[in-house]
Amino acid sequence: MRAPPLQYPLLLLLLLLTSAYSWKKEEFRNCNQTPFCKSARSRKPGSCNLRATDVSISDGDLIARLVPKEENPESEQPNKPLTLTLSVYQDGVMRVKIDEDQNLNPPKKRFEVPEVIEEDFLNTKLWLTRVKEEQIDGDSSFSSVIYLSDGYEGVLRHDPFEVFARENGSGKRVLSINSNGLFDFEQLREKKEGDDWEERFRSHTDTRPYGPQSISFDVSFYGADFVYGIPEHATSLALKPTRGPNVEEYSEPYRLFNLDVFEYLHESPFGLYGSIPFMISHGKARGSSGFFWLNAAEMQIDILGSDWNSNKSSKIMLPSDKHKIDTLWMSEAGVVDTFFFIGPGPKDVVRQYTSVTGRPSMPQLFATAYHQCRWNYRDEEDVYNVDSKFDEHDIPYDVLWLDIEHTDGKKYFTWDRILFPNPEEMQKKLAAKGRHMVTIVDPHIKRDESYHIHKEASEKGFYVKDATGKDYDGWCWPGSSSYTDLLNPEIRSWWSDKFSLDSYVGSTKYLYIWNDMNEPSVFNGPEMPNRVACCPIRLKL
């Protein structure tokens, strides 16, 4: 039957939407296209070649060297010792750091994420004064055991190298690193003739001047039935196995890599907007424990199903406790800076975790009410019309949001004075009804010499640099854009001042800010679908 003429526009619209929003997996890297992930997944249990030596107490920490058991003449890695530091804090938190030995003068300092750990947390450090030695699981060598909290101990197993927390008395493990011997740490090195360190995807190339520097290790949660966390993904809250029996051979790990993703697959480990390397376990046998890796590099995490390592040859004696969940953590770079949270309840783990990274602030009361937001409001008249219709139909709402089109040419902290000539009066009129206005601010700055924020940031050298040392030039909503280096405290202070009433001309005390696109979003990046396909379709319903 021929469709009636009135259905033609709807059919055309459906085809356009299907074309615009269809999933394009080839535009995103998978594990096999990511060298550090592919390499880590190929490692066999027991392949870690490190043992702990020279264990001592220094400045209240347990310090050890991780050295190869035997030299591998075919290895491209320099067999230099690593430094392990184990620290204990109040409320059952154990911190394990592993880095290159700085006394051996590596080519550069590896990146560590600054200013995340709360100062108050650092002040809760328990100063270790002694360590006891104990033989564990029939090992020929001793292990180092330290006090963690009432009822719990921290253990550094020397050979095979392993770090775990256990219950005092019963000796039952709670949480461990490297119980399956999958630890690997690629050290920085000088480039030799013939070395090809470049990493390519589509039209983009990463030169990697200091070579590959990936880190991977297994983490085991004992007494666990489920693990949760590592947001954000479009799948169940309880994380499903990505490797093991009854899992597809080419399944992907959970990816932690911030992307501005407007199209994605349901029930997929594909990473979305946020990446927080924090995982929490829960089970009937024990309760909860948690693990956090302070690392900002791209990360992939496998949830290993039961019997994942069956039918694999292994020289390592794996723990006999099978009631646990094994995971594999893989990162492109950084250092090992991990935190063990022993729980034992979910609330305990959350309390321990937030003591490290900070407690969330309570939102304003109006933030929990109904917000009216769309892309976009045409002008002030449009705002007043929408506001009045809510009153006319007796629909309560507390907040009205303005997207990017309210600005002067997508220059944030500005107003289009033709379409929004009286922003202060508009905000006050909403406030008189007990309502608030929110405007958007994005981190990309339009490269326009007439734009005061761009001019100031450029003159002060506040932009992120590219590999050549020039201001990075990416593409986002305003077109050619640069991004301020918010790892720099001076730049953060400068940026925060732009939100003040004095700096943000046209703002009032009734105005609130929507910080968007902080993945950060770069439309011409290596993994960014062409947004041009989505933009021409604007529906006014």
Side-chain angles (χ1 to χ4, degrees), residues 362-373:
M362 288 295 289
Q364 300 92 340
L365 185 61
F366 72 79
T368 63
Y370 176 72
H371 293 229
Q372 171 61 24
C373 178

Side-chain angles (χ1 to χ4, degrees), residues 371-389:
H371 293 229
Q372 171 61 24
C373 178
R374 78 175 192 221
W375 183 25
N376 199 76
Y377 292 92
R378 292 185 295 272
D379 49 31
E380 285 184 10
E381 182 181 357
D382 194 13
V383 168
Y384 289 134
N385 181 58
V386 169
D387 178 68
S388 66
K389 289 297 182 182

Side-chain angles (χ1 to χ4, degrees), residues 326-341:
D326 293 321
T327 60
L328 176 61
W329 299 58
M330 305 163 276
S331 177
E332 184 179 25
V335 301
V336 176
D337 190 0
T338 60
F339 295 80
F340 291 47
F341 308 114

Side-chain angles (χ1 to χ4, degrees), residues 21 23 233-234 261-268 270-273:
Y21 292 99
W23 171 252
H233 304 90
V261 180
F262 60 94
E263 52 181 13
Y264 54 88
L265 290 178
H266 182 53
E267 290 298 336
S268 166
F270 180 79
L272 301 179
Y273 293 95

Side-chain angles (χ1 to χ4, degrees), residues 253-316:
Y254 288 94
R255 188 183 187 196
L256 277 66
F257 185 68
N258 290 13
L259 288 170
D260 180 14
V261 180
F262 60 94
E263 52 181 13
Y264 54 88
L265 290 178
H266 182 53
E267 290 298 336
S268 166
F270 180 79
L272 301 179
Y273 293 95
S275 301
I276 304 175
F278 169 58
M279 188 177 290
I280 184 170
S281 74
H282 190 67
K284 293 180 180 179
R286 180 190 173 270
S288 291
S289 62
F291 182 81
F292 172 56
W293 185 2
L294 180 57
N295 191 348
E298 178 181 355
M299 200 177 295
Q300 306 261 10
I301 301 176
D302 266 323
I303 310 299
L304 305 174
S306 59
D307 298 324
W308 64 273
N309 57 2
S310 60
N311 303 322
K312 292 185 178 180
S313 60
S314 173
K315 297 180 181 179
I316 192 172

Side-chain angles (χ1 to χ4, degrees), residues 42 64 70 101-102 149 219 252 284 300 319 413 430 463 490:
S42 69
E70 54 189 29
D101 188 337
Q102 299 305 303
S149 70
V219 178
E252 288 292 302
K284 293 180 180 179
Q300 306 261 10
F413 302 104
L430 289 179
Y463 284 137
E490 179 187 0

Side-chain angles (χ1 to χ4, degrees), residues 3-18:
L6 287 177
Q7 289 189 3
Y8 287 149
L10 291 177
L11 290 172
L12 178 59
L13 177 61
L14 180 61
L15 289 173
L16 286 171
L17 287 173
T18 302

